Amino acid sequence: MTQTPSRSYPPGTEYPFGPIPAHEAAEHYHRIAADRPMSRMTMPYGGDVWIIHRNAVARTMLSDARFVREPFRTGERVVPYFVEFPDFLRSTIQFEDPPQHTRLRRLVQTAISPKRVKAMRDSAREFANQLIDRMVAEGDSANLVTEYNVPLPVQMLANLLGVPPEDRAKFESWSHALLAVANMDDQQRAQNMGELYVYLMDMVAKRRGDPRDDLISSLANARDKDDSLTDEEILPIAMILMVGGFDNTANFIGTGVMALLNSPAQLELFRSDPDGLAPTAVEEVLRHGGFATGAPVGGGGGLVPFVATEDVELDGQLVAKGDALLVDPAAASHDGIALPDDDRFDITRKDNPHLTLSYGLHHCLGAPLARMEVQVALSELFKRLPALRLTGDVVVDYDNLTRPITQMPVAW
């Protein structure tokens, strides 16, 4: 890895930066992007990395095949990041490069089609209302995370994969455990990994001989001309969908709820047409929701890194061969360039080029499903419980790679 001397940046453009009021954080990001396209910093794990701040530069990098993840996948390099990446994630499609990534993605997309996701919307709406019915039947308050935000995407992901109802408690437990990075020892993690692999291998074997209308069946029987997926390829695909398919979505739901509750005018507008406004509202939650919750915002975050395979100049900055770099999606959404008034929470915003779900070759495979689930979750919740309000502090688990919201006390 090419070493670049540490730089001192002009006052007011420091990066990373500690939690400050959201409007100040947006202004800080504006100053950084005006000063430079990216910053160099040393991560707690994996050493130095360039962090991209400008939206257009991020899109250029994410579309450029000269930036790869192979050194991380093979173990040649430690992933430069804020927390330690679990080893099993490096075996998933997320860390593959073309042509293998292209092949796997093509086969997986035949299984996760827009048609399949569209067909799931009615079942998502039905289950959301079942969860709300249960909360109302049990009183006038709840921890929204455990009673709504998590169960909805878990149910949808379990339906998608074909996990039967009787196995869904184990399914959720395994998924949570696999992403823990500080509160589980190696033996516990290995046990969960082993149980999950055995379970998934058994599912794949059964679905090859007896296919059903689920994703495991589609993956087990996927064909593209003479090509198909092996068991060794199906398992990591199922794993990445499983571990990323509900923690992140549950967080998006929780962030959306907090952002709307903290924005009275936007909440009133959303209540006037929840179904009609859900698509644009969810995009704005993905882009700016973390800034609209009322909590302080710190500068320092990113998508999974890449490594440059040759010297590349990005917006005037030389990235040397072997340098690692990643995109900070919060910065890219608040660079003061990509869209007007980017410091404002606007659920009617039409042009919303955020990068929360990445872009280009590595655009999130589950993005259509996540978007649908968050749209349904927010629209059904505020239709049924228009007086919903927070009644206590929201708690986040910072010892987990996805930093899930674990407590959100609400009443209605």
Side-chain angles (χ1 to χ4, degrees):
M1 179 174 180
T2 302
Q3 296 293 324
T4 298
S6 299
R7 298 187 178 188
S8 296
Y9 297 112
T13 70
E14 299 87 356
Y15 188 90
F17 57 91
I20 55 179
H23 71 280
E24 294 181 18
E27 292 174 358
H28 194 96
Y29 273 130
H30 290 172
R31 291 192 297 270
I32 293 173
D35 180 65
R36 59 192 182 275
M38 61 189 75
S39 296
R40 184 85 160 185
M41 69 173 287
T42 301
M43 290 292 193
Y45 298 87
D48 289 351
V49 64
W50 289 106
I51 299 188
I52 298 175
H53 306 299
R54 294 177 185 165
N55 192 290
V57 181
R59 287 170 176 266
T60 297
M61 189 278 290
L62 291 169
S63 303
D64 193 328
R66 291 176 294 179
F67 299 100
V68 302
R69 288 176 174 160
E70 181 180 13
F72 305 137
R73 179 178 57 80
T74 62
E76 176 188 342
R77 293 271 293 274
V78 174
V79 183
Y81 211 65
F82 303 92
V83 296
E84 186 175 9
F85 261 70
D87 286 342
F88 81 92
L89 280 179
R90 293 188 289 103
S91 69
T92 66
I93 189 174
Q94 190 176 28
F95 281 86
E96 292 285 357
D97 299 310
Q100 176 70 345
H101 179 273
T102 307
R103 170 183 169 270
L104 291 174
R105 192 175 183 97
R106 183 176 63 244
L107 287 163
V108 173
Q109 283 179 324
T110 65
I112 313 178
S113 65
K115 181 180 179 182
R116 183 187 290 273
V117 172
K118 184 178 180 181
M120 294 177 67
R121 183 176 286 269
D122 287 343
S123 62
R125 186 177 292 114
E126 179 182 357
F127 189 65
N129 278 282
Q130 289 177 12
L131 292 172
I132 295 168
D133 287 342
R134 185 188 308 164
M135 289 195 300
V136 171
E138 292 179 354
D140 60 0
S141 63
N143 176 2
L144 199 66
V145 175
T146 57
E147 301 302 315
Y148 189 74
N149 299 359
V150 169
L152 178 59
V154 166
Q155 174 84 3
M156 292 300 99
L157 187 59
N159 286 351
L160 181 68
L161 289 172
V163 177
E166 61 270 20
D167 292 337
R168 291 184 182 180
K170 292 187 294 184
F171 174 81
E172 181 178 346
S173 176
W174 285 328
S175 298
H176 275 304
L178 292 175
L179 281 180
V181 294
N183 54 2
M184 180 176 293
D185 61 37
D186 290 342
Q187 182 177 354
Q188 290 174 308
R189 188 175 295 112
Q191 179 179 343
N192 278 278
M193 286 284 291
E195 291 174 359
L196 177 58
Y197 265 94
V198 169
Y199 182 81
L200 290 176
M201 287 177 66
D202 183 59
M203 281 189 69
V204 170
K206 289 177 179 177
R207 297 300 191 267
R208 284 201 193 278
D210 182 22
R212 303 178 187 179
D213 185 22
D214 59 50
L215 182 62
I216 292 294
S217 296
S218 296
L219 293 173
N221 297 282
R223 294 288 184 275
D224 183 15
K225 296 181 179 179
D226 296 326
D227 198 7
S228 62
L229 292 167
T230 66
D231 287 2
E232 291 73 20
E233 293 169 334
I234 291 172
L235 290 177
I237 291 168
M239 291 279 282
I240 193 65
L241 290 171
M242 182 172 171
V243 299
F246 75 84
D247 257 5
N248 288 329
T249 304
N251 276 355
F252 296 151
I253 294 169
T255 299
V257 171
M258 288 192 292
L260 286 167
L261 291 178
N262 192 55
S263 310
Q266 294 295 299
L267 177 57
E268 183 178 358
L269 179 61
F270 185 71
R271 285 172 177 156
S272 71
D273 185 15
D275 292 329
L277 287 169
T280 53
V282 167
E283 296 309 306
E284 187 70 341
V285 167
L286 292 173
R287 183 193 74 85
H288 186 69
F291 285 69
T293 63
V297 174
L303 304 176
V304 180
F306 292 84
V307 175
T309 58
E310 60 182 77
D311 290 356
V312 182
E313 187 175 298
L314 291 172
D315 202 9
Q317 174 63 58
L318 175 65
V319 177
K321 178 180 179 180
D323 279 0
L325 71 172
L326 57 78
V327 174
D328 180 348
S333 291
H334 301 88
D335 65 358
I337 304 168
L339 70 168
D341 301 322
D342 63 19
D343 59 344
R344 183 167 56 89
F345 185 54
D346 179 4
I347 64 171
T348 67
R349 194 185 296 274
K350 295 292 193 295
D351 180 21
N352 207 331
H354 68 79
L355 299 174
T356 302
L357 300 175
S358 196
Y359 179 77
L361 292 173
H362 287 273
H363 182 249
C364 176
L365 274 170
L369 181 61
R371 284 185 163 103
M372 180 274 286
E373 290 172 0
V374 182
Q375 289 170 17
V376 168
L378 294 179
S379 59
E380 297 306 310
L381 185 66
F382 283 102
K383 279 191 288 187
R384 292 287 307 280
L385 302 175
L388 189 78
R389 64 189 185 278
L390 286 171
T391 58
D393 293 334
V394 174
V395 178
V396 177
D397 177 8
Y398 290 101
D399 290 333
N400 191 294
L401 182 62
T402 57
R403 296 187 175 184
I405 302 169
T406 59
Q407 291 186 43
M408 184 179 292
V410 297
W412 50 86

